[in-house]
Amino acid sequence: VSFECADLSGADLEGANLSGAIFSRAVLENANMKRCNFENPATGKGADFGGTNLNGVQLEDSILVKANLRVASLRGANLKNCN
């Protein structure tokens, strides 16, 4: 699934299975993404957050294994208990 360049500011995606999703250059500021799964075991890849605005995003208890967070902005993000 591709959310490339999408504005998902404040979106409530809690608990969603977003394995391998593409979020590059998207805006996810203040989104609720607690308990989400971003890992795709079939491909061995994680979600692509390259260049994404993740300021204030809630990622508590999410699976970020192999996620691409290069050049992502994580100011004020909650990454508690992520793996």
Side-chain angles (χ1 to χ4, degrees):
V1 176
S2 179
F3 297 100
E4 190 170 6
C5 299
D7 185 351
L8 297 168
S9 301
D12 186 1
L13 300 168
E14 186 169 345
N17 182 356
L18 298 165
S19 58
I22 300 168
F23 292 98
S24 57
R25 298 183 312 278
V27 179
L28 291 161
E29 192 166 12
N30 299 314
N32 177 9
M33 300 178 95
K34 293 178 182 175
R35 295 188 298 282
C36 286
N37 178 18
F38 297 104
E39 180 188 19
N40 186 339
T43 63
K45 295 182 180 179
D48 182 1
F49 291 104
T52 301
N53 178 346
L54 294 166
N55 295 336
V57 73
Q58 300 296 312
L59 286 163
E60 187 172 340
D61 298 316
S62 291
I63 300 171
L64 292 168
V65 175
K66 297 189 180 182
N68 171 19
L69 294 165
R70 285 185 220 123
V71 196
S73 179
L74 292 158
R75 194 171 293 126
N78 177 1
L79 299 168
K80 185 178 178 181
N81 297 323
C82 286
N83 56 2

